[in-house]
Amino acid sequence: MRIALLPGDGIGPEVVAAGRTVLEAVAERFGHRFEFEEGLIGGIAIDETGRPLPERTHELCERADAVLLGAVGGPRWDVPGAAVRPEQGLLAIRRALGLFANLRPVRCRAAALGASPFRPEHLAGVDFVVVRELTGGIYFGDKRLEAVVDGERATDVCSYTTAEVERIVRVAATLARSRSGCLVSVDKANVLETSRLWRRVATRVVADEYPDVELQHMLVDTCAMKIIQQPRTFDVVVTENMFGDILTDEAAVLAGSIGLMPSASLGAGNGPWTRRGLFEPIHGSAPDIAGQQRANPIGAILSCAMLLRYSLGLEAEAHAVENAVERTIEAGALTADLTVAGGRVVRTDEVTAAIVAGLGGAVPDLAPACARPLRREE
Ligand code: IPM
Ligand code: MG
Protein backbone atom coordinates (compact mmCIF):
# COMPACT_ATOMS: atom_id res chain seq x y z
CA MET A 1 0.00 0.00 0.00
CA ARG A 2 1.39 3.33 -1.08
CA ILE A 3 1.22 6.31 1.24
CA ALA A 4 2.19 9.77 0.00
CA LEU A 5 3.70 12.02 2.66
CA LEU A 6 3.39 15.79 2.27
CA PRO A 7 5.13 17.31 5.31
CA GLY A 8 4.80 20.95 4.22
CA ASP A 9 5.93 23.79 6.46
CA GLY A 10 6.61 24.64 10.12
CA ILE A 11 5.81 21.74 12.42
CA GLY A 12 4.44 19.77 9.44
CA PRO A 13 7.63 17.70 8.98
CA GLU A 14 7.79 16.76 12.68
CA VAL A 15 4.19 15.64 12.94
CA VAL A 16 4.31 13.76 9.62
CA ALA A 17 7.46 11.98 10.82
CA ALA A 18 5.54 11.01 13.96
CA GLY A 19 2.68 9.67 11.83
CA ARG A 20 5.09 7.70 9.68
CA THR A 21 6.73 6.15 12.75
CA VAL A 22 3.34 4.98 13.98
CA LEU A 23 2.33 3.64 10.54
CA GLU A 24 5.62 1.74 10.30
CA ALA A 25 4.99 0.24 13.72
CA VAL A 26 1.48 -0.75 12.61
CA ALA A 27 2.88 -2.37 9.45
CA GLU A 28 5.34 -4.38 11.46
CA ARG A 29 2.92 -5.44 14.14
CA PHE A 30 0.09 -6.39 11.79
CA GLY A 31 2.18 -7.71 8.91
CA HIS A 32 1.56 -5.09 6.21
CA ARG A 33 3.85 -3.41 3.74
CA PHE A 34 3.51 0.33 3.42
CA GLU A 35 5.56 2.23 0.88
CA PHE A 36 6.18 5.87 1.65
CA GLU A 37 7.03 8.59 -0.83
CA GLU A 38 7.46 12.26 0.02
CA GLY A 39 6.28 15.28 -1.95
CA LEU A 40 6.57 19.05 -1.68
CA ILE A 41 3.60 21.25 -0.86
CA GLY A 42 3.06 24.76 0.48
CA GLY A 43 5.78 27.29 1.22
CA ILE A 44 8.68 24.86 0.83
CA ALA A 45 7.30 23.90 -2.60
CA ILE A 46 7.15 27.59 -3.56
CA ASP A 47 10.78 27.99 -2.48
CA GLU A 48 11.98 24.97 -4.42
CA THR A 49 9.76 25.01 -7.52
CA GLY A 50 7.94 28.34 -7.55
CA ARG A 51 4.58 26.58 -7.16
CA PRO A 52 2.63 25.62 -4.01
CA LEU A 53 1.51 22.33 -5.61
CA PRO A 54 4.14 21.04 -8.06
CA GLU A 55 2.91 18.64 -10.73
CA ARG A 56 5.11 15.89 -9.31
CA THR A 57 3.31 16.13 -5.96
CA HIS A 58 -0.07 15.92 -7.64
CA GLU A 59 1.04 12.81 -9.58
CA LEU A 60 2.42 11.23 -6.43
CA CYS A 61 -0.95 11.70 -4.70
CA GLU A 62 -2.85 10.32 -7.70
CA ARG A 63 -0.73 7.16 -7.55
CA ALA A 64 -1.06 6.75 -3.78
CA ASP A 65 -3.66 4.82 -1.79
CA ALA A 66 -3.66 7.56 0.84
CA VAL A 67 -2.03 10.92 1.53
CA LEU A 68 -0.77 12.16 4.91
CA LEU A 69 -0.25 15.92 5.09
CA GLY A 70 1.36 18.05 7.82
CA ALA A 71 0.63 21.76 7.53
CA VAL A 72 1.30 24.63 5.15
CA GLY A 73 2.10 28.32 5.51
CA GLY A 74 4.19 30.64 7.62
CA PRO A 75 5.20 34.28 7.97
CA ARG A 76 7.92 33.89 5.31
CA TRP A 77 5.32 33.50 2.59
CA ASP A 78 2.72 35.76 4.17
CA VAL A 79 3.55 38.69 1.94
CA PRO A 80 0.68 41.09 1.22
CA GLY A 81 -0.21 41.03 -2.45
CA ALA A 82 1.74 37.80 -3.12
CA ALA A 83 0.47 36.00 -6.23
CA VAL A 84 1.39 32.54 -4.90
CA ARG A 85 0.61 31.46 -1.36
CA PRO A 86 1.26 28.14 0.46
CA GLU A 87 -2.45 27.68 1.25
CA GLN A 88 -3.22 27.51 -2.49
CA GLY A 89 -1.33 24.22 -2.57
CA LEU A 90 -3.59 22.69 0.04
CA LEU A 91 -6.79 23.95 -1.57
CA ALA A 92 -5.54 22.75 -4.97
CA ILE A 93 -4.72 19.20 -3.84
CA ARG A 94 -8.10 18.83 -2.10
CA ARG A 95 -9.79 19.99 -5.28
CA ALA A 96 -7.59 17.97 -7.66
CA LEU A 97 -8.31 14.75 -5.76
CA GLY A 98 -12.05 15.57 -5.53
CA LEU A 99 -12.00 15.45 -1.73
CA PHE A 100 -15.25 17.22 -0.95
CA ALA A 101 -15.99 15.64 2.44
CA ASN A 102 -13.87 16.61 5.43
CA LEU A 103 -14.55 14.65 8.62
CA ARG A 104 -13.39 16.39 11.79
CA PRO A 105 -14.05 14.44 15.00
CA VAL A 106 -14.18 16.39 18.28
CA ARG A 107 -13.66 14.39 21.47
CA CYS A 108 -12.99 15.42 25.03
CA ARG A 109 -10.67 13.15 26.98
CA ALA A 110 -10.53 13.34 30.74
CA ALA A 111 -6.74 13.58 30.97
CA ALA A 112 -6.56 16.47 28.50
CA LEU A 113 -9.30 18.58 30.04
CA GLY A 114 -6.97 20.49 32.32
CA ALA A 115 -5.82 22.43 29.26
CA SER A 116 -9.34 23.52 28.37
CA PRO A 117 -10.78 26.72 29.85
CA PHE A 118 -14.03 24.89 30.62
CA ARG A 119 -14.99 22.96 33.74
CA PRO A 120 -14.36 19.21 33.30
CA GLU A 121 -17.99 18.34 34.10
CA HIS A 122 -19.09 20.58 31.24
CA LEU A 123 -17.00 18.57 28.80
CA ALA A 124 -17.33 14.98 29.95
CA GLY A 125 -18.75 12.86 27.16
CA VAL A 126 -18.39 15.42 24.37
CA ASP A 127 -17.99 13.41 21.17
CA PHE A 128 -19.16 14.72 17.80
CA VAL A 129 -18.06 14.92 14.19
CA VAL A 130 -18.18 17.97 11.96
CA VAL A 131 -18.60 17.09 8.28
CA ARG A 132 -17.21 20.11 6.46
CA GLU A 133 -17.81 20.62 2.73
CA LEU A 134 -14.29 21.06 1.38
CA THR A 135 -14.20 21.92 -2.32
CA GLY A 136 -16.93 24.52 -2.78
CA GLY A 137 -18.16 27.78 -1.35
CA ILE A 138 -16.32 31.03 -0.90
CA TYR A 139 -12.83 29.47 -0.72
CA PHE A 140 -13.14 28.34 -4.32
CA GLY A 141 -15.23 31.11 -5.89
CA ASP A 142 -13.89 33.88 -8.13
CA LYS A 143 -11.73 36.43 -6.37
CA ARG A 144 -11.27 39.97 -7.56
CA LEU A 145 -9.46 43.08 -6.43
CA GLU A 146 -10.19 46.26 -8.35
CA ALA A 147 -9.64 49.98 -8.02
CA VAL A 148 -12.64 52.15 -7.21
CA VAL A 149 -12.86 55.93 -6.83
CA ASP A 150 -12.05 56.04 -3.13
CA GLY A 151 -9.77 53.02 -2.83
CA GLU A 152 -10.16 49.38 -3.76
CA ARG A 153 -12.92 46.79 -3.83
CA ALA A 154 -12.35 43.12 -3.03
CA THR A 155 -14.84 40.41 -3.98
CA ASP A 156 -15.02 36.69 -3.08
CA VAL A 157 -17.84 34.76 -4.69
CA CYS A 158 -19.63 32.03 -2.73
CA SER A 159 -21.59 29.47 -4.71
CA TYR A 160 -22.98 25.96 -4.24
CA THR A 161 -24.81 23.68 -6.62
CA THR A 162 -27.56 21.19 -5.77
CA ALA A 163 -25.21 18.29 -6.53
CA GLU A 164 -22.50 19.65 -4.24
CA VAL A 165 -24.93 19.91 -1.34
CA GLU A 166 -26.52 16.52 -2.02
CA ARG A 167 -23.25 14.59 -1.90
CA ILE A 168 -21.99 16.14 1.35
CA VAL A 169 -25.37 15.69 3.04
CA ARG A 170 -25.31 12.02 2.02
CA VAL A 171 -21.90 11.53 3.65
CA ALA A 172 -23.10 13.21 6.84
CA ALA A 173 -26.44 11.38 6.94
CA THR A 174 -24.68 8.04 6.40
CA LEU A 175 -22.37 8.86 9.28
CA ALA A 176 -25.31 9.99 11.46
CA ARG A 177 -27.06 6.70 10.74
CA SER A 178 -24.06 4.79 12.09
CA ARG A 179 -24.07 6.92 15.26
CA SER A 180 -27.06 8.45 17.09
CA GLY A 181 -29.18 9.15 14.01
CA CYS A 182 -29.21 12.88 14.77
CA LEU A 183 -27.85 15.32 12.19
CA VAL A 184 -27.50 19.09 12.57
CA SER A 185 -27.13 21.07 9.33
CA VAL A 186 -25.57 24.49 9.84
CA ASP A 187 -26.17 27.44 7.52
CA LYS A 188 -27.03 31.14 7.43
CA ALA A 189 -30.35 30.75 5.61
CA ASN A 190 -31.75 33.99 7.04
CA VAL A 191 -29.20 35.93 4.94
CA LEU A 192 -27.47 33.86 2.26
CA GLU A 193 -28.92 32.44 -0.95
CA THR A 194 -26.38 29.58 -0.89
CA SER A 195 -27.64 28.68 2.59
CA ARG A 196 -31.26 28.67 1.47
CA LEU A 197 -30.37 26.22 -1.30
CA TRP A 198 -28.33 24.20 1.22
CA ARG A 199 -31.27 23.97 3.62
CA ARG A 200 -33.78 22.96 0.93
CA VAL A 201 -31.49 20.28 -0.48
CA ALA A 202 -30.55 18.91 2.94
CA THR A 203 -34.21 18.66 3.91
CA ARG A 204 -35.10 16.80 0.71
CA VAL A 205 -32.13 14.40 0.73
CA VAL A 206 -32.68 13.39 4.34
CA ALA A 207 -36.48 13.05 3.94
CA ASP A 208 -36.19 10.98 0.74
CA GLU A 209 -33.13 8.88 1.43
CA TYR A 210 -32.59 8.86 5.19
CA PRO A 211 -36.07 8.84 6.79
CA ASP A 212 -34.52 7.24 9.88
CA VAL A 213 -32.20 10.23 10.41
CA GLU A 214 -33.48 13.18 12.42
CA LEU A 215 -32.40 16.44 10.77
CA GLN A 216 -32.23 19.75 12.58
CA HIS A 217 -31.25 23.05 10.91
CA MET A 218 -29.25 25.58 12.88
CA LEU A 219 -27.97 29.04 12.00
CA VAL A 220 -24.21 29.29 12.16
CA ASP A 221 -24.17 32.06 14.77
CA THR A 222 -26.42 30.01 17.04
CA CYS A 223 -24.24 26.97 16.42
CA ALA A 224 -21.10 28.89 17.40
CA MET A 225 -22.76 29.64 20.73
CA LYS A 226 -24.23 26.17 21.34
CA ILE A 227 -20.94 24.40 20.63
CA ILE A 228 -19.66 26.15 23.74
CA GLN A 229 -22.85 26.20 25.76
CA GLN A 230 -24.17 22.67 25.13
CA PRO A 231 -21.36 20.73 23.47
CA ARG A 232 -22.77 17.36 24.48
CA THR A 233 -25.94 17.88 22.43
CA PHE A 234 -24.07 17.54 19.10
CA ASP A 235 -23.39 14.25 17.35
CA VAL A 236 -22.99 14.85 13.59
CA VAL A 237 -22.85 18.37 12.16
CA VAL A 238 -22.79 19.10 8.42
CA THR A 239 -21.88 22.50 7.06
CA GLU A 240 -20.33 24.43 4.20
CA ASN A 241 -16.65 25.08 3.75
CA MET A 242 -16.00 28.33 5.62
CA PHE A 243 -18.44 27.70 8.48
CA GLY A 244 -16.84 24.28 8.99
CA ASP A 245 -13.36 25.78 9.02
CA ILE A 246 -14.30 28.28 11.72
CA LEU A 247 -16.50 26.03 13.87
CA THR A 248 -13.86 23.29 14.07
CA ASP A 249 -11.17 25.63 15.37
CA GLU A 250 -13.73 26.74 17.94
CA ALA A 251 -14.57 23.13 18.82
CA ALA A 252 -10.86 22.41 19.33
CA VAL A 253 -11.01 24.54 22.48
CA LEU A 254 -13.38 21.96 23.98
CA ALA A 255 -10.88 19.16 23.35
CA GLY A 256 -8.13 21.06 25.16
CA SER A 257 -5.86 21.69 22.19
CA ILE A 258 -6.13 21.97 18.43
CA GLY A 259 -3.04 19.75 18.40
CA LEU A 260 -5.24 16.76 19.21
CA MET A 261 -7.58 17.15 16.28
CA PRO A 262 -7.36 14.91 13.20
CA SER A 263 -9.23 15.06 9.91
CA ALA A 264 -10.02 12.92 6.89
CA SER A 265 -10.81 14.38 3.48
CA LEU A 266 -12.69 11.98 1.26
CA GLY A 267 -14.21 12.00 -2.20
CA ALA A 268 -16.92 10.23 -4.17
CA GLY A 269 -16.71 6.50 -4.76
CA ASN A 270 -18.97 3.52 -4.92
CA GLY A 271 -20.05 4.05 -1.36
CA PRO A 272 -20.51 7.41 0.25
CA TRP A 273 -16.76 7.96 0.02
CA THR A 274 -13.79 6.79 -1.97
CA ARG A 275 -10.85 4.83 -0.71
CA ARG A 276 -8.11 7.34 -1.45
CA GLY A 277 -8.26 10.19 0.99
CA LEU A 278 -6.07 12.92 2.38
CA PHE A 279 -5.47 12.94 6.10
CA GLU A 280 -4.20 15.91 8.05
CA PRO A 281 -4.29 17.38 11.53
CA ILE A 282 -6.47 20.49 11.55
CA HIS A 283 -3.78 22.64 13.20
CA GLY A 284 -1.57 25.03 11.27
CA SER A 285 2.18 25.13 10.75
CA ALA A 286 2.95 26.79 14.14
CA PRO A 287 6.23 28.35 12.92
CA ASP A 288 7.02 29.64 16.42
CA ILE A 289 7.64 26.11 17.73
CA ALA A 290 8.84 24.44 14.51
CA GLY A 291 11.90 22.19 14.73
CA GLN A 292 11.90 22.04 18.52
CA GLN A 293 10.07 18.73 19.12
CA ARG A 294 7.39 20.66 20.97
CA ALA A 295 4.49 20.09 18.58
CA ASN A 296 1.68 17.77 19.59
CA PRO A 297 1.88 14.79 17.18
CA ILE A 298 -1.51 13.38 18.21
CA GLY A 299 -3.57 15.25 15.60
CA ALA A 300 -1.35 13.73 12.90
CA ILE A 301 -1.31 10.29 14.53
CA LEU A 302 -5.10 10.20 14.88
CA SER A 303 -5.23 11.28 11.22
CA CYS A 304 -3.18 8.14 10.49
CA ALA A 305 -5.82 6.09 12.32
CA MET A 306 -8.43 7.62 10.00
CA LEU A 307 -6.14 6.85 7.04
CA LEU A 308 -5.98 3.20 8.09
CA ARG A 309 -9.76 3.07 8.48
CA TYR A 310 -11.02 5.00 5.47
CA SER A 311 -8.36 4.54 2.79
CA LEU A 312 -6.76 1.21 3.64
CA GLY A 313 -9.81 -0.49 5.17
CA LEU A 314 -7.77 -1.56 8.22
CA GLU A 315 -10.29 -1.11 11.04
CA ALA A 316 -8.52 -3.18 13.70
CA GLU A 317 -5.28 -1.31 13.03
CA ALA A 318 -7.07 2.06 13.22
CA HIS A 319 -8.58 1.02 16.50
CA ALA A 320 -5.22 -0.07 17.88
CA VAL A 321 -3.75 3.35 17.11
CA GLU A 322 -6.71 5.14 18.70
CA ASN A 323 -6.44 2.99 21.82
CA ALA A 324 -2.72 3.61 22.08
CA VAL A 325 -3.36 7.36 21.84
CA GLU A 326 -5.98 7.18 24.60
CA ARG A 327 -3.64 5.25 26.86
CA THR A 328 -0.81 7.65 26.20
CA ILE A 329 -2.94 10.69 27.06
CA GLU A 330 -4.22 8.97 30.18
CA ALA A 331 -0.67 8.14 31.21
CA GLY A 332 0.04 11.86 31.10
CA ALA A 333 2.47 11.90 28.17
CA LEU A 334 1.48 15.42 27.12
CA THR A 335 3.14 18.03 24.94
CA ALA A 336 3.30 21.67 26.06
CA ASP A 337 -0.12 22.59 24.59
CA LEU A 338 -1.80 20.19 27.02
CA THR A 339 0.20 20.49 30.19
CA VAL A 340 -1.06 22.68 32.97
CA ALA A 341 1.31 25.07 34.71
CA GLY A 342 4.11 23.15 36.37
CA GLY A 343 3.16 19.88 34.65
CA ARG A 344 5.64 17.65 32.87
CA VAL A 345 6.16 18.57 29.24
CA VAL A 346 6.91 15.64 26.96
CA ARG A 347 8.62 15.97 23.56
CA THR A 348 6.99 15.20 20.21
CA ASP A 349 9.18 12.15 19.56
CA GLU A 350 8.66 10.88 23.10
CA VAL A 351 4.87 11.09 22.85
CA THR A 352 5.20 9.23 19.55
CA ALA A 353 7.37 6.54 21.15
CA ALA A 354 4.84 6.13 23.95
CA ILE A 355 2.06 5.64 21.39
CA VAL A 356 4.15 3.06 19.53
CA ALA A 357 4.74 1.22 22.82
CA GLY A 358 1.01 1.41 23.53
CA LEU A 359 0.32 -0.28 20.18
CA GLY A 360 1.80 -3.43 21.57
CA GLY A 361 -0.54 -3.15 24.54
CA ALA A 362 2.27 -1.96 26.79
CA VAL A 363 1.55 0.80 29.23
CA PRO A 364 3.69 3.67 27.97
CA ASP A 365 6.83 4.04 30.01
CA LEU A 366 6.97 7.65 31.03
CA ALA A 367 10.34 7.58 32.70
CA PRO A 368 12.41 8.18 29.54
CA ALA A 369 9.79 10.56 28.22
CA CYS A 370 10.48 12.87 31.12
CA ALA A 371 14.22 12.66 30.96
CA ARG A 372 14.48 15.88 29.00
CA PRO A 373 11.61 18.05 30.16
CA LEU A 374 10.97 21.31 28.39
CA ARG A 375 9.63 24.36 30.13
CA ARG A 376 6.30 25.68 29.07
CA GLU A 377 6.65 29.34 28.22
CA GLU A 378 4.74 31.65 30.52
C1 IPM B 1 -7.82 24.08 7.65
C2 IPM B 1 -7.01 25.30 7.30
C3 IPM B 1 -7.04 25.50 5.80
C4 IPM B 1 -8.49 25.65 5.40
C5 IPM B 1 -6.20 26.66 5.26
C6 IPM B 1 -4.76 26.52 5.64
C7 IPM B 1 -6.34 26.83 3.77
O1 IPM B 1 -7.47 26.40 7.99
O2 IPM B 1 -7.54 22.99 7.12
O3 IPM B 1 -8.75 24.21 8.45
O4 IPM B 1 -9.07 26.71 5.52
O5 IPM B 1 -9.09 24.66 4.99
MG1 MG C 1 -8.83 25.89 9.53
Side-chain angles (χ1 to χ4, degrees), residues 72-73 87-88 90-91 94 102 104 132 134 139 241 244-246 248-249 263 280-284:
V72 297
E87 292 77 7
Q88 291 164 344
L90 181 53
L91 296 179
R94 291 171 177 168
N102 184 221
R104 299 188 159 192
R132 169 188 175 194
L134 203 61
Y139 291 10
N241 202 342
D245 187 19
I246 298 169
T248 50
D249 268 35
S263 85
E280 52 175 321
I282 83 164
H283 62 67

